[in-house]
Amino acid sequence: MADHRRLIYRWTNAIYRLLGMKIPRGMGSLFDKGEKNKREKFDRFLSYYYGTETFEPGTYWYNNADTIQFFIELVRIATRNKTTLEPITIQKLFRKKDPTRQASTWIMVQEELDKTSVTAADLRALFEGPPRVEHGFPRGRPLFVPIPKNPKGHHKYNKTGENG
């Protein structure tokens, strides 16, 4: 799961870069470049951007950090339930800036985004401002990302509470 959380962290940064939104620097331990434990850094970042209800130990996304499913849900809430992208489309939205380097920076590909019904304005509105709910969908930062309609993972996350 930690690898998926790391990729969610990197793809979130890619969205922010595409939108020209600033990724805070100099926030002490949150973004300390000398951090010895990278997993803790990624987890702090995710809690900062998506909140403790989304990414603290014990929450659905922390325990079931499926990168593709997470961004499918992110797009769904960004478009107020108008767009649910296929997994292959989500994968095409992101790529490494330099594919020959293992530690290369991830980018969101504008040309691929343009092929969808999702706009940069949809994504920007998702992350801007304080946390709130507009027309039944979360907005702002930290952004609460709800459990998918058909959650994977442990039965305790199913809406009915039944094993499944």
Side-chain angles (χ1 to χ4, degrees):
M1 288 303 126
D3 288 339
H4 280 272
R5 289 194 304 271
R6 180 177 64 221
L7 196 52
I8 291 169
Y9 157 83
R10 290 185 172 148
W11 285 10
T12 299
N13 277 337
I15 292 172
Y16 268 69
R17 276 192 289 282
L18 177 77
L19 299 174
M21 297 175 76
K22 290 198 178 251
I23 300 167
R25 301 283 183 219
M27 295 183 57
S29 62
L30 184 62
F31 297 103
D32 183 5
K33 290 187 177 193
E35 185 73 41
K36 291 181 182 177
N37 187 334
K38 296 288 186 190
R39 286 184 180 172
E40 287 180 13
K41 174 186 173 182
F42 301 141
D43 289 346
R44 277 196 301 276
F45 174 93
L46 293 172
S47 289
Y48 177 78
Y49 276 92
Y50 295 109
T52 56
E53 291 180 56
T54 303
F55 267 112
E56 283 293 302
T59 62
Y60 176 81
W61 287 114
Y62 186 91
N63 292 334
N64 299 279
D66 180 317
T67 307
I68 301 299
Q69 186 63 49
F70 183 83
F71 284 92
I72 287 171
E73 191 64 17
L74 197 72
V75 166
R76 186 188 71 75
I77 63 174
T79 62
R80 295 187 168 118
N81 222 16
K82 295 176 191 156
T83 303
T84 303
L85 296 179
E86 292 296 319
I88 189 70
T89 304
I90 294 290
Q91 288 175 316
K92 289 178 181 179
L93 287 175
F94 300 93
R95 72 171 177 234
K96 288 184 176 184
K97 191 173 186 177
D98 180 355
T100 63
R101 291 187 54 221
Q102 184 176 356
S104 183
T105 300
W106 282 89
I107 59 171
M108 186 174 211
V109 183
Q110 180 69 58
E111 295 80 18
E112 294 296 331
L113 185 63
D114 292 343
K115 293 177 186 177
T116 72
S117 59
V118 183
T119 67
D122 291 331
L123 295 172
R124 182 180 304 284
L126 187 63
F127 291 106
E128 286 185 330
R132 63 199 181 281
V133 174
E134 287 182 4
H135 308 288
F137 294 92
R139 296 284 183 267
R141 191 181 67 221
L143 178 69
F144 172 70
V145 179
I147 296 171
K149 291 182 180 179
N150 297 310
K152 297 178 182 179
H154 196 274
H155 66 83
K156 75 177 186 177
Y157 299 109
N158 292 343
K159 291 183 183 346
T160 63
E162 299 172 6
N163 290 332

